[in-house]
Amino acid sequence: MGLYRATETASSRRNQDAGEDIVNSSERLRGLIKKATLTQDKLERQIYLAAAISSAFEKKGIQSVLVGGAVVEYYTAGEYTTVDIDMVLPP
């Protein structure tokens, strides 16, 4: 009986931790989107949006990679500009 209680407690703790992870993840996503909407700098806004997109995929267990013009724009500190965000997902 003591083993069952210990297992039950550990399981309850994992469920609580999972719930906290979901809440923290959602708050992080909202925070990134809010930062994107508040910034005037186009490049910074794109980076926050890319981070939000990546976080949303990560929340589903999918790793994404930012590619394309947004990476070049970031790398060149805005010398090259783009209007989209390209992400690559695993096959």
Side-chain angles (χ1 to χ4, degrees):
M1 189 121 168
L3 180 59
Y4 174 75
R5 286 184 186 169
T7 303
E8 185 178 55
T9 302
S11 176
S12 297
R13 225 175 287 126
R14 277 192 303 274
N15 289 340
Q16 183 178 6
D17 290 345
E20 288 175 7
D21 288 345
I22 290 169
V23 168
N24 290 340
S25 178
S26 295
E27 287 175 2
R28 180 170 188 258
L29 188 57
R30 279 192 292 274
L32 290 167
I33 292 169
K34 183 175 182 178
K35 286 180 180 181
T37 60
L38 293 176
T39 185
Q40 297 297 314
D41 183 74
K42 177 187 166 286
L43 178 57
E44 188 175 342
R45 186 172 46 251
Q46 280 186 315
I47 296 300
Y48 280 127
L49 288 174
I53 292 166
S54 180
S55 292
F57 279 123
E58 195 174 288
K59 188 175 175 181
K60 299 288 186 183
I62 302 169
Q63 189 173 20
S64 61
V65 178
L66 181 65
V67 297
V71 174
V72 176
E73 186 169 352
Y74 177 75
Y75 183 75
T76 63
E79 291 297 316
Y80 172 88
T81 61
T82 186
V83 294
D84 64 351
I85 297 174
D86 301 309
M87 306 289 285
V88 173
L89 304 177

mmCIF file of all heavy atoms in Angstrom, residues 50 53-54 57 62-68 71 85-90:
data_model
loop_
_atom_site.group_PDB
_atom_site.id
_atom_site.type_symbol
_atom_site.label_atom_id
_atom_site.label_comp_id
_atom_site.label_asym_id
_atom_site.label_seq_id
_atom_site.Cartn_x
_atom_site.Cartn_y
_atom_site.Cartn_z
ATOM 1 N N ALA A 50 9.046 34.857 -35.117
ATOM 2 C CA ALA A 50 9.681 33.564 -35.409
ATOM 3 C C ALA A 50 9.842 32.749 -34.130
ATOM 4 O O ALA A 50 9.609 31.533 -34.125
ATOM 5 C CB ALA A 50 11.032 33.784 -36.086
ATOM 6 N N ILE A 53 6.416 31.368 -33.245
ATOM 7 C CA ILE A 53 6.067 30.244 -34.117
ATOM 8 C C ILE A 53 6.846 29.002 -33.695
ATOM 9 O O ILE A 53 6.284 27.913 -33.549
ATOM 10 C CB ILE A 53 6.344 30.601 -35.594
ATOM 11 C CG1 ILE A 53 5.380 31.682 -36.063
ATOM 12 C CG2 ILE A 53 6.245 29.363 -36.482
ATOM 13 C CD1 ILE A 53 5.767 32.351 -37.372
ATOM 14 N N SER A 54 8.135 29.176 -33.482
ATOM 15 C CA SER A 54 8.983 28.063 -33.058
ATOM 16 C C SER A 54 8.508 27.486 -31.724
ATOM 17 O O SER A 54 8.462 26.270 -31.538
ATOM 18 C CB SER A 54 10.429 28.540 -32.947
ATOM 19 O OG SER A 54 11.268 27.490 -32.543
ATOM 20 N N PHE A 57 5.373 25.353 -32.224
ATOM 21 C CA PHE A 57 5.726 24.031 -32.748
ATOM 22 C C PHE A 57 6.369 23.179 -31.661
ATOM 23 O O PHE A 57 6.069 21.999 -31.516
ATOM 24 C CB PHE A 57 6.677 24.146 -33.942
ATOM 25 C CG PHE A 57 5.995 24.453 -35.244
ATOM 26 C CD1 PHE A 57 6.354 25.564 -35.983
ATOM 27 C CD2 PHE A 57 5.008 23.619 -35.749
ATOM 28 C CE1 PHE A 57 5.732 25.863 -37.192
ATOM 29 C CE2 PHE A 57 4.379 23.906 -36.946
ATOM 30 C CZ PHE A 57 4.743 25.021 -37.679
ATOM 31 N N ILE A 62 7.500 19.476 -31.965
ATOM 32 C CA ILE A 62 8.058 19.595 -33.306
ATOM 33 C C ILE A 62 9.150 20.666 -33.286
ATOM 34 O O ILE A 62 8.898 21.805 -32.917
ATOM 35 C CB ILE A 62 6.975 19.993 -34.330
ATOM 36 C CG1 ILE A 62 5.854 18.967 -34.341
ATOM 37 C CG2 ILE A 62 7.588 20.168 -35.713
ATOM 38 C CD1 ILE A 62 4.623 19.398 -35.123
ATOM 39 N N GLN A 63 10.353 20.265 -33.690
ATOM 40 C CA GLN A 63 11.451 21.228 -33.741
ATOM 41 C C GLN A 63 11.448 21.913 -35.101
ATOM 42 O O GLN A 63 11.363 21.260 -36.128
ATOM 43 C CB GLN A 63 12.782 20.535 -33.506
ATOM 44 C CG GLN A 63 13.912 21.498 -33.330
ATOM 45 C CD GLN A 63 15.195 20.799 -32.933
ATOM 46 O OE1 GLN A 63 15.346 19.607 -33.135
ATOM 47 N NE2 GLN A 63 16.121 21.540 -32.367
ATOM 48 N N SER A 64 11.507 23.232 -35.104
ATOM 49 C CA SER A 64 11.516 24.004 -36.354
ATOM 50 C C SER A 64 12.821 24.780 -36.458
ATOM 51 O O SER A 64 13.479 25.051 -35.461
ATOM 52 C CB SER A 64 10.323 24.953 -36.404
ATOM 53 O OG SER A 64 10.397 25.873 -35.334
ATOM 54 N N VAL A 65 13.154 25.129 -37.688
ATOM 55 C CA VAL A 65 14.380 25.886 -37.937
ATOM 56 C C VAL A 65 14.031 27.083 -38.812
ATOM 57 O O VAL A 65 13.386 26.937 -39.847
ATOM 58 C CB VAL A 65 15.441 25.012 -38.653
ATOM 59 C CG1 VAL A 65 16.696 25.823 -38.953
ATOM 60 C CG2 VAL A 65 15.774 23.781 -37.822
ATOM 61 N N LEU A 66 14.456 28.255 -38.384
ATOM 62 C CA LEU A 66 14.264 29.478 -39.163
ATOM 63 C C LEU A 66 15.263 29.480 -40.307
ATOM 64 O O LEU A 66 16.461 29.246 -40.101
ATOM 65 C CB LEU A 66 14.470 30.701 -38.262
ATOM 66 C CG LEU A 66 14.294 32.073 -38.896
ATOM 67 C CD1 LEU A 66 12.848 32.275 -39.347
ATOM 68 C CD2 LEU A 66 14.696 33.157 -37.904
ATOM 69 N N VAL A 67 14.788 29.722 -41.527
ATOM 70 C CA VAL A 67 15.645 29.726 -42.722
ATOM 71 C C VAL A 67 15.255 30.908 -43.609
ATOM 72 O O VAL A 67 14.312 31.629 -43.323
ATOM 73 C CB VAL A 67 15.505 28.402 -43.533
ATOM 74 C CG1 VAL A 67 15.962 27.212 -42.711
ATOM 75 C CG2 VAL A 67 14.073 28.197 -44.008
ATOM 76 N N GLY A 68 15.977 31.069 -44.700
ATOM 77 C CA GLY A 68 15.584 32.044 -45.716
ATOM 78 C C GLY A 68 15.977 33.469 -45.400
ATOM 79 O O GLY A 68 16.918 33.747 -44.660
ATOM 80 N N VAL A 71 16.651 34.968 -41.850
ATOM 81 C CA VAL A 71 17.967 34.663 -41.285
ATOM 82 C C VAL A 71 19.014 35.610 -41.880
ATOM 83 O O VAL A 71 19.854 36.141 -41.162
ATOM 84 C CB VAL A 71 18.357 33.185 -41.545
ATOM 85 C CG1 VAL A 71 19.782 32.918 -41.081
ATOM 86 C CG2 VAL A 71 17.387 32.253 -40.859
ATOM 87 N N ILE A 85 8.539 34.986 -43.145
ATOM 88 C CA ILE A 85 9.288 34.161 -42.210
ATOM 89 C C ILE A 85 9.190 32.723 -42.725
ATOM 90 O O ILE A 85 8.084 32.190 -42.856
ATOM 91 C CB ILE A 85 8.718 34.259 -40.775
ATOM 92 C CG1 ILE A 85 8.840 35.687 -40.260
ATOM 93 C CG2 ILE A 85 9.405 33.268 -39.851
ATOM 94 C CD1 ILE A 85 8.164 35.911 -38.918
ATOM 95 N N ASP A 86 10.340 32.139 -43.028
ATOM 96 C CA ASP A 86 10.370 30.761 -43.536
ATOM 97 C C ASP A 86 10.864 29.845 -42.429
ATOM 98 O O ASP A 86 11.886 30.118 -41.802
ATOM 99 C CB ASP A 86 11.305 30.642 -44.739
ATOM 100 C CG ASP A 86 10.877 31.557 -45.879
ATOM 101 O OD1 ASP A 86 9.690 31.503 -46.254
ATOM 102 O OD2 ASP A 86 11.723 32.309 -46.402
ATOM 103 N N MET A 87 10.134 28.759 -42.223
ATOM 104 C CA MET A 87 10.511 27.761 -41.216
ATOM 105 C C MET A 87 10.569 26.406 -41.905
ATOM 106 O O MET A 87 9.744 26.094 -42.771
ATOM 107 C CB MET A 87 9.475 27.691 -40.095
ATOM 108 C CG MET A 87 9.140 28.996 -39.411
ATOM 109 S SD MET A 87 10.422 29.664 -38.365
ATOM 110 C CE MET A 87 10.319 28.633 -36.955
ATOM 111 N N VAL A 88 11.538 25.593 -41.495
ATOM 112 C CA VAL A 88 11.642 24.220 -41.983
ATOM 113 C C VAL A 88 11.269 23.308 -40.830
ATOM 114 O O VAL A 88 11.736 23.489 -39.698
ATOM 115 C CB VAL A 88 13.081 23.907 -42.482
ATOM 116 C CG1 VAL A 88 13.218 22.441 -42.834
ATOM 117 C CG2 VAL A 88 13.423 24.783 -43.673
ATOM 118 N N LEU A 89 10.416 22.327 -41.129
ATOM 119 C CA LEU A 89 9.990 21.348 -40.139
ATOM 120 C C LEU A 89 10.557 19.986 -40.540
ATOM 121 O O LEU A 89 10.810 19.744 -41.711
ATOM 122 C CB LEU A 89 8.468 21.273 -40.087
ATOM 123 C CG LEU A 89 7.742 22.585 -39.824
ATOM 124 C CD1 LEU A 89 6.236 22.367 -39.863
ATOM 125 C CD2 LEU A 89 8.156 23.162 -38.491
ATOM 126 N N PRO A 90 10.718 19.092 -39.581
ATOM 127 C CA PRO A 90 11.232 17.767 -39.928
ATOM 128 C C PRO A 90 10.253 17.011 -40.817
ATOM 129 O O PRO A 90 9.048 17.271 -40.755
ATOM 130 C CB PRO A 90 11.404 17.071 -38.592
ATOM 131 C CG PRO A 90 10.517 17.813 -37.650
ATOM 132 C CD PRO A 90 10.408 19.203 -38.184
#
